[in-house]
Amino acid sequence: MEWLSTAIICAVLAGIVTLIIVRMIKNKKKGKTSCGCNCKDCPMSGKCH
């Protein structure tokens, strides 16, 4: 029975990671950056792209 709780926790964590990755991909396709700022005003804009 101990393996069942471990499997459930792993499944929940895998689901959360999957949702985060999907959201990051959708935001990238929409042109949003990960920091949420406007890149032209960012002093690090030349470093991240």
Side-chain angles (χ1 to χ4, degrees):
M1 275 316 246
E2 186 176 312
W3 63 271
L4 183 62
S5 61
T6 302
I8 291 171
I9 291 171
C10 287
V12 169
L13 289 175
I16 290 170
V17 169
T18 302
L19 290 174
I20 291 170
I21 292 171
V22 167
R23 182 175 177 148
M24 288 174 66
I25 291 171
K26 285 183 179 181
N27 284 342
K28 185 167 179 102
K29 286 182 180 180
K30 290 180 182 178
K32 294 182 180 179
T33 60
S34 59
C35 67
C37 299
N38 188 357
C39 286
K40 69 177 183 151
D41 296 329
C42 179
M44 297 295 288
S45 65
K47 306 286 184 199
C48 66
H49 293 292

